[in-house]
Amino acid sequence: MFKQPNGKSSNWYCCYYNKGRAVRVTTRTDKWEVALKFADDWYMDQRYLIKNGGDPLGKKVHYFVKAALQSMEAERSKQYCKVVKNYLSPGGRIMRFFGETPVQKIDSRAWDAFRQQLNGEISENSVHQLKTAFRLVLKQAYIEKAINEIPRFFDPMKKKKTQTKPRVQFTLHEYDKLLRALKNNIARAKGDSDKIAAEDLYDYVLFMVHTGLRVGESKELLVSQVELIDNYCRITVAKGKCGGHSPCISFTGAPAAFRRVIKRRGISNHNTCGKKLFPIYRREAFKRILKENNLYQDAYGRRRDFTSLRHTYICFRLAQGATIYDVARNTRTSIQMIDKHYAKMQPTSAKLVNKTDWGKLPPKAGVSESASKRSRSARNEV
């Protein structure tokens, strides 16, 4: 039994050693009799825990990594799992710093110490990805009841953004220019293989802009997961950034692109086909076309890629009057993300704001028709 030598606390503490490691706890009282009874009960509980094979300091972080990765592989795409495995590798930054730490001692102060240890070696985006990977391990520890709650990490050193730029997208004029460039690419193709590759790229771009899929979701999308319904497609996203999700609805241009793809690949029954819809990733060809047509960078100097097609889909749907809720649900993201990065960047549409047609509203009870007309006329003048 002891008290803190610096005098910061008047409470009694109790401590014992297990395999050379000090295990201590506060009694939360400065009264000797109460503290002694607490220490006696606590020590008996600790002896019972050790006798039954438990660890008084709790399981360490590296114990939960394997189970967390197995749980993630069942829901997420292969590319996402590959990135997270790299972050959680034994030689990675997270395991070197936290691997031997008991999971109960992980809190915001421990994360802040980790950030200070990085000392600006990596970007803020990479730090955020490390945090996401680490929280998967803590989530597994919570599932196994090793901790009572998942700790929240605060980043006091992170700079607050003063202005949010729109996501890297294509404007309507740039999108028309892109489609013309893709068609010219098909016309210039020499040989059957080059022509098929050019046609696949054109249909991929068209399909992505009319569905809003993530790039990782499109890589894992199977032919049988696309259902043709009249003038749109119903797509089941089984694996992706957010795992499984309810079916999403495409825009009107997706069915034509889907039909051309299955016809080109000779698929007779797409409802039972277990092959991937887009087995080849044509990123370099897309990059070359963007550079040839001065579309590789946007107005802020940022590079465009396949991810820009998803941003384009969201902006086009919002500009056409779709609600933020419907767009967020159909693209498997949150309303806050749509509002922050897309909706507030859209210009205000007078047509949508003034959508109510006052002339079609029924007159109130007890008001004559002529009085109702005069009232409508006054409102229109205002």
Side-chain angles (χ1 to χ4, degrees):
M1 300 282 292
F2 66 95
K3 285 190 176 183
Q4 292 286 359
N6 53 20
K8 289 185 177 181
S9 175
S10 61
N11 293 335
W12 286 97
Y13 287 77
C14 47
C15 172
Y16 74 93
Y17 285 86
N18 176 51
K19 297 181 180 180
R21 298 181 302 172
V23 185
R24 65 189 66 181
V25 69
T26 176
T27 62
R28 300 182 184 276
T29 181
D30 57 351
K31 296 180 180 180
W32 170 257
E33 293 79 6
V34 179
L36 187 62
K37 184 178 185 307
F38 174 89
D40 185 45
D41 295 339
W42 173 74
Y43 182 64
M44 294 302 294
D45 292 339
Q46 293 291 299
R47 291 188 61 182
Y48 179 80
L49 177 67
I50 296 172
K51 185 177 180 180
N52 288 273
D55 189 346
L57 290 177
K59 295 179 180 178
K60 298 178 181 179
V61 170
H62 67 78
Y63 175 85
F64 302 96
V65 173
K66 185 177 180 181
L69 292 176
Q70 290 177 349
S71 176
M72 176 189 63
E73 289 174 349
E75 299 180 354
R76 305 298 181 92
S77 63
K78 292 182 180 179
Q79 182 65 24
Y80 183 87
C81 295
K82 182 179 178 181
V83 174
V84 174
K85 282 182 179 179
N86 185 39
Y87 288 143
L88 298 178
S89 62
R93 289 184 170 89
I94 294 178
M95 287 299 107
R96 290 203 309 265
F97 192 87
F98 290 111
E100 297 299 323
T101 305
V103 71
Q104 292 91 343
K105 293 188 176 182
I106 302 298
D107 55 12
S108 184
R109 287 176 293 183
W111 178 255
D112 188 49
F114 172 66
R115 283 180 57 89
Q116 292 180 7
Q117 184 261 348
L118 292 176
N119 195 23
E121 295 179 3
I122 57 178
S123 64
E124 288 292 337
N125 289 335
S126 298
V127 173
H128 177 73
Q129 291 172 355
L130 287 173
K131 183 197 297 184
T132 303
F134 190 33
R135 285 182 65 83
L136 289 176
V137 179
L138 297 178
K139 180 181 178 181
Q140 184 64 34
Y142 174 77
I143 292 174
E144 297 185 18
K145 298 182 179 180
I147 53 178
N148 296 325
E149 62 179 6
I150 301 175
R152 295 182 61 187
F153 296 151
F154 302 98
D155 296 331
M157 296 186 297
K158 187 175 180 181
K159 295 181 180 179
K160 185 178 180 180
K161 293 183 178 179
T162 56
Q163 184 178 3
T164 303
K165 296 179 181 179
R167 290 295 174 89
V168 186
Q169 57 169 331
F170 293 94
T171 64
L172 185 59
H173 172 72
E174 291 170 335
Y175 178 60
D176 291 337
K177 185 179 180 180
L178 174 62
L179 292 183
R180 290 195 299 269
L182 292 171
K183 290 180 180 178
N184 292 334
N185 185 49
I186 297 174
R188 295 197 311 264
K190 297 179 180 179
D192 293 340
S193 59
D194 291 345
K195 186 176 181 181
I196 291 175
E199 290 175 345
D200 284 344
L201 180 58
Y202 174 80
D203 288 330
Y204 178 79
V205 171
L206 201 66
F207 190 83
M208 292 290 284
V209 173
H210 285 78
T211 57
L213 293 176
R214 295 183 175 91
V215 176
E217 294 170 347
S218 67
K219 289 181 179 180
E220 300 295 329
L221 184 64
L222 304 180
V223 176
S224 59
Q225 292 172 345
V226 182
E227 182 183 359
L228 286 171
I229 303 175
D230 298 331
N231 60 342
Y232 66 90
C233 297
R234 184 158 58 192
I235 303 170
T236 302
V237 179
K239 287 188 176 182
K241 178 180 177 181
C242 301
H245 199 272
S246 58
C248 60
I249 305 300
S250 75
F251 202 56
T252 55
F258 176 72
R259 291 189 181 96
R260 286 194 296 268
V261 171
I262 61 176
K263 182 179 180 181
R264 200 159 45 241
R265 296 179 58 185
I267 299 174
S268 57
N269 187 1
H270 67 274
N271 294 319
T272 58
C273 182
K275 299 180 181 179
K276 290 185 177 180
L277 182 60
F278 300 106
I280 302 176
Y281 191 51
R282 307 185 187 278
R283 179 177 59 183
E284 294 302 322
F286 186 65
K287 182 178 178 180
R288 173 181 56 81
I289 292 174
L290 291 178
K291 288 185 175 181
E292 290 176 353
N293 295 271
N294 297 324
L295 295 172
Y296 186 55
Q297 292 183 338
D298 67 352
Y300 298 92
R302 299 172 299 179
R303 294 175 293 180
R304 290 189 175 105
D305 52 16
F306 282 144
T307 308
S308 305
L309 303 177
R310 171 180 167 87
H311 303 327
T312 303
Y313 166 84
I314 296 174
C315 293
F316 282 3
R317 300 290 79 77
L318 291 173
Q320 291 179 342
T323 64
I324 295 178
Y325 173 79
D326 291 332
V327 173
R329 183 176 182 182
N330 202 48
T331 53
R332 301 155 304 285
T333 188
S334 65
I335 297 176
Q336 291 78 8
M337 289 295 293
I338 296 295
D339 181 60
K340 179 180 178 181
H341 296 288
Y342 302 96
K344 74 176 186 179
M345 302 301 172
Q346 295 292 324
T348 303
S349 173
K351 182 179 179 181
L352 295 177
V353 172
N354 302 322
K355 195 172 182 180
T356 303
D357 189 352
W358 294 99
K360 294 183 179 180
L361 293 178
K364 295 182 179 180
V367 179
S368 64
E369 185 176 354
S370 59
S372 178
K373 288 181 179 180
R374 289 194 301 270
S375 177
R376 286 198 298 267
S377 177
R379 284 193 293 263
N380 291 334
E381 290 176 0
V382 173

